[in-house]
Amino acid sequence: MHMADALLSPAVGGALWAGSLGALIICARKLKEKMDDRLIPLMGVLGAFIFAGQMINFTIPMTGSSGHIGGGLLLAILLGPYAAFLVIASVLVIQALFFADGGLLALGANIWNLGIYPAFIGYPIIYRAIAKKNASNKAITVASVLGVVAGLQLGALSVVLETKLSGITELPFSTFLLMMQPIHLAIGLIEGFATAGIVVYVRSLRPDIVDNLEGVKSMSAGGSLRKLVMIMSVLALLTGGAFSWFASTNPDGLEWSIEKIYGKPEVPGQQSTVGENLARLQEKTAILPDYSLPSKGGEESAETDASPWPAIDPRTSLSGIVGSLMVLAIVVLFGFGVKFISRHKSKM
């Protein structure tokens, strides 16, 4: 559900940039007050895992569409909502800057749509209300599914509203809404069960991580944190490096909805100086566009379109591994930066 710049006007895109930046500042301040140092490596490897996981689109049966995990609720359950929002924002920044996945004008909207709803509605209002401390695995599953579905439905609704406010006339509001909500319900159900499975597994290793429902998590001493970090690291590398070959070639829920209405997976968009400058900037920063090496004219695209499934491609593996490491690095640097500022100010 990564929006392209063509779906937003500069005014709406700018407003969502401001909203997301404000949320990021609030989250950083919350973490600065109380963040446990031991949480930082887990934030990094989970961010890497979510980056890699989002490369794997799964087919939605009988639709011709596909979807991928958002990961926001999983992060909120394991890290708390403030750390989760920072991690999902880091994933989306890396995707937009270096892989051209989602536009730069739309980056604020994508952070808002994929981060705010799971972290600050799906987790506190739905998941935490159902899966209280020492909840059963059944309660965790129900809470995960409902939390993911709610977050994704609100995110899909936001996409429709944002295009309406941007004056994208190619996508009539009611028709776009009727396409977006059902397909993202199906995607949310699959992600919900996947989220529950991972949460239950993590709980078997470190019950305190899942059962601690505070906004900023603290961890108990001992346990299998190192083992958990190692397992998630290996999973991130395997997912980005090999499992990504098995991604569905069907369009994702947003592209599918647009194509059903407009006849093409993309709309022309509005001409603006801001949008054109950001597009030129993205062309320079996107070293692995579309999770591959830069194409040479149209020949590469034609070759890629004709590739069989699974698409065993070292360029995809390179993108998955490099992107995961980028996310790991930026999250860990940010986490230790927040702790450094906190300690420096406490000594003043």
Side-chain angles (χ1 to χ4, degrees), residues 288-309:
L288 293 166
D290 296 325
Y291 304 95
S292 185
L293 295 173
S295 63
K296 298 176 182 177
E299 297 177 2
E300 193 75 16
S301 300
E303 181 186 326
T304 302
D305 292 342
S307 60
W309 186 92

Side-chain angles (χ1 to χ4, degrees), residues 304-317:
T304 302
D305 292 342
S307 60
W309 186 92
I312 299 173
D313 189 338
R315 297 169 296 185
T316 305
S317 301

Side-chain angles (χ1 to χ4, degrees), residues 250-269:
N250 290 340
D252 70 15
L254 175 56
E255 294 169 338
W256 176 85
S257 299
I258 294 172
E259 191 167 6
K260 287 288 183 183
I261 299 168
Y262 183 63
K264 300 176 183 177
E266 297 177 357
V267 295

Side-chain angles (χ1 to χ4, degrees), residues 49 69 73-74 77-78 127 136-145 148 188-205 210 228 231-232 235:
F49 175 70
I69 64 165
L73 188 75
L74 175 65
I77 295 169
L78 301 182
Y127 178 87
S136 65
N137 289 345
K138 181 178 178 182
I140 288 175
T141 302
V142 172
S144 298
V145 171
V148 169
L189 288 171
I190 295 172
E191 181 183 346
F193 282 106
T195 298
I198 296 171
V199 170
V200 169
Y201 175 68
V202 171
R203 194 188 195 199
S204 70
L205 296 176
V210 176
L228 176 59
I231 289 172
M232 295 310 300
L235 274 178

